[in-house]
Amino acid sequence: MRRGRARLRGEVITLSHGSGGKAMRDLIEDLFLGGFDNAILATLEDQARVDLAALATAGDRLALTTDSYVVDPLFFPGGDIGALAVNGTVNDLAVGGARPLYLTCGMIIEEGLAVEDLRRVVASMKAAADAAGVRIVTGDTKVVHRGAADKLFINTAGVGVIPPGVDIRADRARPGDVVLVNGYIGDHGAAIVDARGELALDNDIASDCQPLNGLVEAMLAACPDIHCMRDATRGGLATVLNEFAQSSGCGIRLQETAIPLREPVRGMCELLGRDPLYLANEGKLVAVVPAEHAEAVLAAMRAHPAGRDSAAIGEVTASPAEMVVLATGFGGERIVDMLVGEQLPRIC
């Protein structure tokens, strides 16, 4: 007969919670087993065990990805580090055409973190996982001395399955293809700047942190032959499009007036001298689709809650090769290069 679940005591995380002893067991059973709540995790084995036959019925290729999240502050308008860690890894799988299924979770916790803050993060991860239809099935916890980390760092790895016939790659852009984006760019980067409170700005910008796997499924239903797709996180829209151009050997021509951009984000960029094309996003994808399917894909995107503000923002061209050119609202043109340096650290 299994004993009742342990209860974490105290108001802050201490080094004993990473010691491997009873305090660590209480932390794992209370926060993580109770918070993530699924049968695979509850076995408390050193590895998650999943049924291969079930995976094989969903596709013909396995997709794996991992990412680490160090955002500052931990909580910000529109999200927190927990939702970011789940949605970011879900989206990395989804934009390759994979159906996300399982996640791992590794946490580096600084001594002194409030237990209530950690509990909020775990609850947020569970809510984000449920919204995306994935399960967090294994993980790891380390507690480090004060000053050895900044409150909380999270690593998530993801497993998904790619359906037959889906072949999304950065080198598949072809002249004539249409470039689509699923809504307003730069919201996440602007929200983090605002949340840090260093500029005393007066606005209500919220992060766009959200899962994109449902939107991608709708897009693939409209056109299984989507050529390229990525989520525009660090480096923003400009970096993703340069990656497509350089991998495929094509050019990309953007229309500035077609790119969705909220006025508060535009105003913040003008005030700080930032280019919104490089601002980070956490719920935006960029897709390159054959011209004959562009209208159908765009309609499918606009019919989904994660893509209601989608737009066609440009086209793939034969030249100039491996370059992105922006046709400005004033009738001129400028080259949009890769991001050089870091516009804003600890953004995701």
Side-chain angles (χ1 to χ4, degrees):
M1 180 176 175
R2 194 181 192 288
R3 292 180 298 172
R5 182 166 290 155
R7 178 70 181 175
L8 181 63
R9 302 180 186 281
E11 296 182 354
V12 299
I13 298 297
T14 68
L15 291 177
S16 67
H17 291 114
S19 66
K22 184 178 185 306
M24 184 171 177
R25 182 79 175 196
D26 291 347
L27 171 70
I28 292 172
E29 290 205 2
D30 184 351
L31 263 71
F32 300 126
L33 291 189
F36 296 148
D37 190 25
N38 65 74
I40 297 176
L41 184 64
T43 63
L44 280 179
E45 296 292 343
D46 281 345
Q47 70 291 129
R49 302 172 184 180
V50 300
D51 182 55
L52 285 178
L55 292 179
T57 60
D60 59 3
R61 286 154 292 166
L62 202 62
L64 305 173
T65 189
T66 186
D67 207 343
S68 298
Y69 299 86
V70 297
V71 67
D72 177 38
L74 297 182
F75 303 95
F76 47 84
D80 56 73
I81 191 172
L84 198 66
V86 171
N87 290 334
T89 297
V90 164
N91 294 345
D92 284 344
L93 291 169
V95 294
R99 177 189 172 200
L101 296 173
Y102 302 108
L103 301 185
T104 72
C105 172
M107 290 196 172
I108 308 294
I109 307 170
E110 183 187 20
E111 177 190 15
L113 178 70
V115 169
E116 182 55 31
D117 283 348
L118 186 56
R119 201 179 293 279
R120 284 177 61 193
V121 169
V122 171
S124 179
M125 294 184 76
K126 177 64 164 62
D130 287 348
V134 300
R135 287 188 285 176
I136 299 169
V137 293
T138 190
D140 179 59
T141 302
K142 295 290 187 296
V143 180
V144 297
H145 290 279
R146 291 178 189 271
D150 186 3
K151 298 181 284 293
L152 178 64
F153 298 157
I154 300 177
N155 173 273
T156 45
V159 176
V161 178
I162 303 174
V166 174
D167 184 22
I168 301 173
R169 302 196 313 264
D171 64 356
R172 291 194 67 213
R174 297 291 180 268
D177 286 352
V178 177
V179 181
L180 306 176
V181 66
N182 67 313
Y184 294 96
I185 64 166
D187 288 0
H188 178 72
I192 294 298
V193 170
D194 198 32
R196 289 179 181 172
E198 299 169 352
L199 301 173
L201 300 175
D202 183 19
N203 61 50
D204 56 356
I205 302 170
S207 170
D208 61 346
C209 183
Q210 63 178 339
L212 296 173
N213 52 324
L215 174 66
V216 173
E217 286 186 17
M219 295 168 67
L220 288 171
C223 174
D225 189 30
I226 291 174
H227 288 171
C228 314
M229 185 155 49
R230 282 195 181 162
D231 51 340
T233 53
R234 281 183 304 171
L237 178 67
T239 297
V240 169
L241 292 176
N242 271 281
E243 290 169 351
F244 290 165
Q246 293 174 12
S247 295
S248 65
C250 296
I252 292 177
R253 182 180 177 83
L254 293 176
Q255 298 295 330
E256 184 177 42
T257 55
I259 299 172
L261 181 65
R262 299 184 197 279
E263 281 306 317
V265 177
R266 187 193 307 278
M268 176 180 287
C269 288
E270 290 175 354
L271 181 65
L272 300 177
R274 302 279 171 80
D275 187 337
L277 297 180
Y278 297 97
L279 280 186
N281 311 271
E282 288 297 338
K284 294 297 179 300
L285 62 79
V286 188
V288 173
V289 301
E292 62 270 28
H293 299 296
E295 284 298 325
V297 175
L298 189 58
M301 293 170 73
R302 288 173 172 167
H304 192 278
R308 62 171 63 94
D309 299 307
S310 298
I313 60 172
E315 63 176 340
V316 180
T317 57
S319 64
E322 302 185 12
M323 293 180 64
V324 178
V325 175
L326 179 75
T328 72
F330 298 105
E333 290 186 347
R334 69 176 174 93
I335 294 172
V336 179
D337 208 344
M338 294 282 283
L339 176 64
V340 177
E342 184 73 81
Q343 279 213 120
L344 191 66
R346 304 280 306 279
I347 196 76
C348 61

